[in-house]
Amino acid sequence: LFVDSDGSFFEYFRSSWEEQLLTEEIPRSDVVGWYRNRDRKRTSLRVPYQQRGRWRPLYPDFIFARHVDGKVVLDILDPHDPTRADAVPKAKGLSRYAEKHGARFGRIQLLAKIGNDLRRLEVNDSEVRKAINVVDSSDALVHLYETAGL
């Protein structure tokens, strides 16, 4: 959505996962564009999550726009290492967000690199949300990616 006069865009990516996500998503025939949702910006999409009794903001990394049945639909795609201390609380926060606001979006996905694959949890699926809501450790979250990830 933001390019210079040459049609170029530069972005620094924190992980190869983000680049792999873009490599998978951009060639899709339904993709119209994408937006890098920046951390701690006033205009950024923030999803609340709770960690150690405090509410914090999750800034999902990407918002994609796609054509679906003649309409533009927005997707939230967030690659995040499931072994990090904040991974389970963020997953649960995104699950709560999808429960309340999922109908306004197409896909709401958490993504993680499992082996060489980028696995996706479709948080807009009620069964996946139920599974996320009972996850209590990083190991359990990794197992969920392995068993329920797309």
Side-chain angles (χ1 to χ4, degrees), residues 56-126:
R56 301 171 188 270
L58 159 63
Y59 298 89
D61 286 339
F62 297 101
I63 299 170
F64 272 79
R66 294 181 300 122
H67 276 141
V68 177
D69 298 327
K71 296 179 183 177
V72 175
V73 174
L74 298 179
D75 300 327
I76 296 171
L77 304 178
D78 189 46
H80 193 70
D81 183 347
T83 65
R84 294 186 63 174
D86 63 355
V88 170
K90 284 182 174 181
K92 290 184 179 198
L94 197 57
S95 176
R96 280 190 298 276
Y97 185 83
E99 179 69 33
K100 288 183 179 181
H101 305 289
R104 297 175 184 224
F105 296 91
R107 302 173 297 165
I108 299 178
Q109 294 181 343
L110 286 167
L111 298 95
K113 189 105 176 209
I114 306 295
N116 292 324
D117 298 323
L118 198 56
R119 302 296 300 265
R120 300 162 183 251
L121 293 176
E122 179 51 69
V123 186
N124 238 353
D125 179 300
S126 62

